[in-house]
Amino acid sequence: MRNIKDKFLYIIASISIVCALSGCHFLEVEKLGKSDIEGYFKEFDGLKTAMYGAYSVTYDFYDSHFSKYAEVAGNMTRLSSVTSSDDMVDQYNFTSSPDQETTAVGYIWKDGFIIMSNVNNILYYAPGLKKSFPNNLRDIELIEAQALFLRALTHLDITLCYGQHYTYTPDASHLGIPVLTRLPAAGETILRNSVKEVYDQILSDLNKAIEIFGDTPMTSAYYASADACKALLSRVYLYMEDWDKAEQYASEVIPKFPLTPREKYAEMYHNPDYLGSEAIFRLSGYKAGTTLKKFYDPTSPVATPADTLFSLFDNPDDVRLSLLKYTNDNGYTVNACTKFYIPDNTIPDEDRHYDPFVLRSSEMYLNRAEARCKKGNLEGAASDLKTLIARATGVSESSVNLTYSNSEELMQLIVKERVKELCFEGHNFFDITRRKSDLRRELSTNSVVRYMAYPSDYFVLPIPQIEMDSNIGIQPNPTVNN
């Protein structure tokens, strides 16, 4: 656990600066005041460094607890041990409590709002820099667009953890998280917005970012781009069950990012120098944290693939299986996730980084397949599914046979492929809840929860108690905050 005292939204509301330097911790800059941060943002170089810092804390957010929560709360992961001291065990058992400040309950909230403070500072000071540095106008605009993308992404991710999915109520009027688009005044009470209001802000930020990016080409998958915004819009509209727009944005992105060839599929996870042709947005782990590596480390894993995951594979030649097995030095093969493991020991430690996928075209095919299926275009949905299966199994699309007689049966095939393709990448639990499905785990699970019916108050995390105490008036989540 991190050796720092946790601060939450109250701190963000009480001071006007946040961590802008890449790799620094939030509390390291608490001693600074408004004049310090204003001085920092008087220079264009300060804005650029702040943008790098925003990417850095976004990596920390994904590497720390967010990605793990989406998997351990789902049904495709098994924890090796379930003692009270083990990481994520309370989220695995759905026993999270508000006072767990140094677990997923506290860190997802805190780390997420640190990201939003970073990007809100960028968006607040950027307009003034345009006047001071007219020769850097376009560069400043592109930084603004990247900040808008990260703000949209973070609003979505935090809402997935602390608010029920979009269609939980017919009008999405249930509670999400506070929408933060500015630096709050000191002592200001910050309340939670409805999920609809959060999603409205997400859509606004992404559309504005696309407008700013214009035709500027993507320089690298490590940086936000217009295509990354469109890919995220496809996901957001999928969650909203706006099937037309989910399909539309997936279709706009897919032609630009061809699927990584089967022979290089494992390499896009295991080779730090290979991004993969399908990468739309990844987070650079260079000289960054290694939490996910330790969590899934095949030599001594905290978490491993569950039997429910292996039961979905009916072809032993499926390349995705190679990322769920590990053979040790003695030739013994064990079940393990190796998506965050660099097997080449000849690579120096500082270069053996893993770069978590946030958006890739495989997800876009699955988004489009689901949207098409929901719209009644079964042939189009099946075609998208065949493309992924053919790549995974090394056969032609024409030789892939899908057996279904209606949209419900085809949807089950889409769900199956989505799990196989995106496992351990931060989707599983959120896919279960947005489909309004019951949670069903393997019979041999060592969790105290093998089955949980939908809907459930336990499908969200409690608002951290330190936030409840410091930000008087913020609304709790029912049951889990009691």
Side-chain angles (χ1 to χ4, degrees), residues 256-286:
K256 299 181 181 181
F257 298 88
L259 292 177
T260 300
R262 183 176 186 272
E263 62 271 15
K264 297 180 76 68
Y265 188 84
E267 187 178 352
M268 70 178 177
Y269 295 95
H270 293 163
N271 182 354
D273 295 324
Y274 181 63
L275 274 170
S277 59
E278 68 182 70
I280 302 172
F281 182 62
R282 297 187 77 168
L283 294 166
S284 174
Y286 182 67

Side-chain angles (χ1 to χ4, degrees), residues 101-152:
E101 301 168 17
T102 56
T103 70
V105 172
Y107 278 136
I108 293 175
W109 184 269
K110 177 181 71 70
D111 291 349
F113 282 108
I114 286 177
I115 298 170
M116 285 204 277
S117 284
N118 272 262
V119 296
N120 281 337
N121 266 315
I122 291 169
L123 293 168
Y124 179 79
Y125 287 101
L129 287 169
K130 293 178 185 178
K131 299 176 182 178
S132 302
F133 297 90
N135 293 335
N136 298 111
L137 176 61
R138 185 55 182 159
D139 292 328
I140 295 171
E141 289 176 340
L142 292 175
I143 288 174
E144 287 180 303
Q146 293 173 74
L148 287 166
F149 169 83
L150 290 184
R151 188 167 73 182

Side-chain angles (χ1 to χ4, degrees), residues 317-335:
D317 294 326
D318 193 316
V319 69
R320 295 168 296 193
L321 273 171
S322 67
L323 296 171
L324 304 177
K325 299 285 185 179
Y326 172 73
T327 303
N328 61 25
D329 294 337
N330 297 322
Y332 184 68
T333 300
V334 296
N335 298 337

Side-chain angles (χ1 to χ4, degrees), residues 41-302:
F41 278 104
K42 282 184 178 179
E43 299 297 328
F44 171 61
D45 285 346
L47 190 74
K48 288 195 299 183
T49 305
M51 193 67 244
Y52 295 140
Y55 282 117
S56 177
V57 292
T58 302
Y59 178 93
D60 291 342
F61 176 78
Y62 273 77
D63 184 57
S64 178
H65 289 85
F66 172 73
S67 296
K68 293 188 292 183
Y69 173 62
E71 303 302 327
V72 301
N75 62 354
M76 298 293 158
T77 303
R78 178 185 177 90
L79 292 188
S80 300
S81 174
V82 289
T83 61
S84 59
S85 61
D86 287 323
D87 189 25
M88 304 302 294
V89 69
D90 284 303
Q91 288 68 57
Y92 187 50
N93 287 331
F94 290 89
T95 53
S96 299
S97 65
D99 60 351
Q100 293 170 343
E101 301 168 17
T102 56
T103 70
V105 172
Y107 278 136
I108 293 175
W109 184 269
K110 177 181 71 70
D111 291 349
F113 282 108
I114 286 177
I115 298 170
M116 285 204 277
S117 284
N118 272 262
V119 296
N120 281 337
N121 266 315
I122 291 169
L123 293 168
Y124 179 79
Y125 287 101
L129 287 169
K130 293 178 185 178
K131 299 176 182 178
S132 302
F133 297 90
N135 293 335
N136 298 111
L137 176 61
R138 185 55 182 159
D139 292 328
I140 295 171
E141 289 176 340
L142 292 175
I143 288 174
E144 287 180 303
Q146 293 173 74
L148 287 166
F149 169 83
L150 290 184
R151 188 167 73 182
L153 176 67
T154 308
H155 270 112
L156 175 65
D157 290 344
I158 306 176
T159 302
L160 291 174
C161 297
Y162 298 93
Q164 298 282 0
H165 65 93
Y166 188 87
T167 58
Y168 182 76
T169 54
D171 56 358
S173 59
H174 54 289
L175 289 174
I177 63 167
V179 171
L180 282 189
T181 60
R182 60 180 175 81
L183 302 176
E188 180 181 353
T189 297
I190 307 298
L191 301 180
R192 297 168 68 184
N193 292 82
S194 70
V195 169
K196 183 183 186 305
E197 290 171 327
V198 178
Y199 273 63
D200 285 347
Q201 184 61 51
I202 292 168
L203 297 177
S204 175
D205 281 347
L206 292 175
N207 285 315
K208 185 176 180 180
I210 290 172
E211 181 181 348
I212 296 172
F213 278 123
D215 296 329
T216 302
M218 183 179 76
T219 57
S220 167
Y222 291 131
Y223 300 96
S225 63
D227 290 323
C229 292
K230 292 176 181 179
L232 186 54
L233 279 170
S234 176
R235 181 188 296 175
V236 171
Y237 281 121
L238 190 81
Y239 287 0
M240 295 173 67
E241 297 185 7
D242 186 331
W243 310 121
D244 287 334
K245 289 184 178 178
E247 178 184 7
Q248 172 195 329
Y249 284 105
S251 295
E252 289 187 27
V253 172
I254 284 172
K256 299 181 181 181
F257 298 88
L259 292 177
T260 300
R262 183 176 186 272
E263 62 271 15
K264 297 180 76 68
Y265 188 84
E267 187 178 352
M268 70 178 177
Y269 295 95
H270 293 163
N271 182 354
D273 295 324
Y274 181 63
L275 274 170
S277 59
E278 68 182 70
I280 302 172
F281 182 62
R282 297 187 77 168
L283 294 166
S284 174
Y286 182 67
K287 293 186 177 180
T290 58
T291 304
L292 286 175
K293 175 187 179 299
K294 294 174 182 176
F295 193 65
Y296 294 114
D297 188 346
T299 62
S300 56
V302 176

